[in-house]
Each structure stands twice: as C-alpha cells, then as structure tokens.
Amino acid sequence: MKKINVVNLDKLLDNFSEIEKEYKDQIEKLTIEIQNKEEGHKLEIAQLNCNMRKKAEAKEMEYKEQIEKKELEILELTRQLKTQDEEKQNEIIKLQIEFSAKLARVQNKTTKSFSDASVLPQSIYRRKLQHLQEEKNKEIEILRNTIRDLEQRLNKGQDLHLKRRRF
C-alpha cells in the first residue's frame, strides 16, 4: 500500500506542479495584459489631453479675434460719436451766430422806428412799433426753441455715448 500511496502522491505532486505552473503562466499572461492595457490607457489619456489642449487653444484664439473685432467696432463708434458731437457743436455755434445777427437786425429796426417816430403820427407809430416788437419776439422765440432742440439732441447723443462707454 505504501507504493500505491507513493505513486498517488507522486501523481498528485506532478498534477499540483502542472496546475501551479499553469496558474503562474496565467498570472503572468494576465499581468502582461494588464500592463499593456495600462499603457494603452495612458496613450489614450495623453491623446485626449492633447486634443483638449488644441481645442482650448483654438477657442481661445477665436475669442481673442472676437474681442479684437469688438474693440475695433467700439473705436469706430467712438470716432463717429466724436464727429457727430463736433458737428452738433458747430451747428449750435452757427445758430447762435444767426440768432445774434437776427436779434441785432431786429434791434436796429426798433431803433430806426424810434428815430422815425417823430415824423409819423402817434397812432401809426404805435402800430408799427407793436408789429416790429411782435416780429422780434417771434424770431427770438423761434431761435430759442431751435437752440433748445439742438442742445437736447446733443445731450441725448452724449448720454448715449456715456451709456455705451459703460458697457
């Protein structure tokens, strides 16, 4: 019986050695496979990082270009606004000069009518004086309204300019 046990024991040891060798081989294969997959994943991650970096740089360039375009638009609008302001100021000055000239004319007419008054009868003089004063007042009122309108337009333009600068 001892021989049978020894033979069986030898067979069992041989089987055990074979099974152990198979397990070791499988463990080695699996370890190699895990290492290969880890390296593959590292490569994938590196590629994804590279792609993401490229996309981020492209977006950044796109945003920079948009910012530059908007800045150019702002500069152009600012230039246009300055030009409009200058035009409005020139128009106001021109109207003020016209107003002064018309006022001087009306005042000259009024003084002439005073010098001619001694010759004319008093009732005719009163009517003429009244008519001239009415004309003068009408012209003054028209010019004042025009100046007021232009100043309001200028102020509105400046308000818009200030609002645009805030944004």
Side-chain angles (χ1 to χ4, degrees):
M1 236 184 76
K2 279 189 173 184
K3 280 189 171 185
I4 294 175
N5 282 340
V6 171
V7 173
N8 281 341
L9 188 61
D10 283 339
K11 279 185 180 180
L12 283 174
L13 285 175
D14 286 340
N15 282 343
F16 180 73
S17 296
E18 286 178 28
I19 292 173
E20 184 180 16
K21 186 178 179 188
E22 285 177 20
Y23 279 138
K24 285 183 181 178
D25 288 344
Q26 283 181 349
I27 289 172
E28 189 176 325
K29 283 181 187 177
L30 290 173
T31 306
I32 291 171
E33 189 177 328
I34 287 172
Q35 287 174 349
N36 288 339
K37 285 192 178 194
E38 282 178 350
E39 287 177 19
H41 288 307
K42 285 180 184 177
L43 286 174
E44 260 185 76
I45 290 171
Q47 283 180 331
L48 289 173
N49 283 337
C50 184
N51 289 341
M52 292 298 287
R53 195 176 317 113
K54 285 179 182 178
K55 285 180 182 179
E57 288 173 357
K59 280 290 185 187
E60 186 177 341
M61 290 300 293
E62 182 182 331
Y63 291 145
K64 282 182 181 179
E65 289 174 2
Q66 288 176 353
I67 288 171
E68 288 175 5
K69 286 179 183 178
K70 293 297 179 186
E71 286 174 348
L72 289 175
E73 285 179 27
I74 289 171
L75 288 174
E76 179 61 24
L77 290 172
T78 304
R79 186 191 61 76
Q80 288 176 0
L81 189 59
K82 284 182 182 178
T83 304
Q84 287 177 353
D85 285 345
E86 289 172 2
E87 290 172 358
K88 296 290 183 186
Q89 286 294 333
N90 290 338
E91 191 174 340
I92 287 173
I93 292 170
K94 178 183 168 187
L95 288 172
Q96 285 175 337
I97 292 171
E98 287 178 14
F99 173 75
S100 298
K102 286 183 179 182
L103 183 61
R105 259 189 276 131
V106 169
Q107 287 174 344
N108 284 340
K109 285 181 183 178
T110 306
T111 54
K112 283 182 183 178
S113 65
F114 280 129
S115 63
D116 293 342
S118 61
V119 176
L120 298 173
Q122 202 168 16
S123 62
I124 294 174
Y125 167 72
R126 281 186 199 143
R127 280 191 230 142
K128 189 169 185 177
L129 178 61
Q130 186 179 4
H131 177 70
L132 288 175
Q133 285 176 341
E134 288 174 2
E135 274 186 31
K136 176 185 82 164
N137 289 337
K138 285 180 185 177
E139 286 185 24
I140 289 172
E141 189 61 33
I142 290 170
L143 290 173
R144 283 184 180 152
N145 288 338
T146 305
I147 288 172
R148 189 178 315 115
D149 289 343
L150 288 173
E151 286 175 343
Q152 287 175 353
R153 282 192 224 154
L154 178 63
N155 288 337
K156 285 181 184 176
Q158 287 175 348
D159 289 343
L160 288 176
H161 176 64
L162 290 175
K163 286 180 183 176
R164 286 183 187 153
R165 280 191 182 170
R166 288 181 192 157
F167 293 113

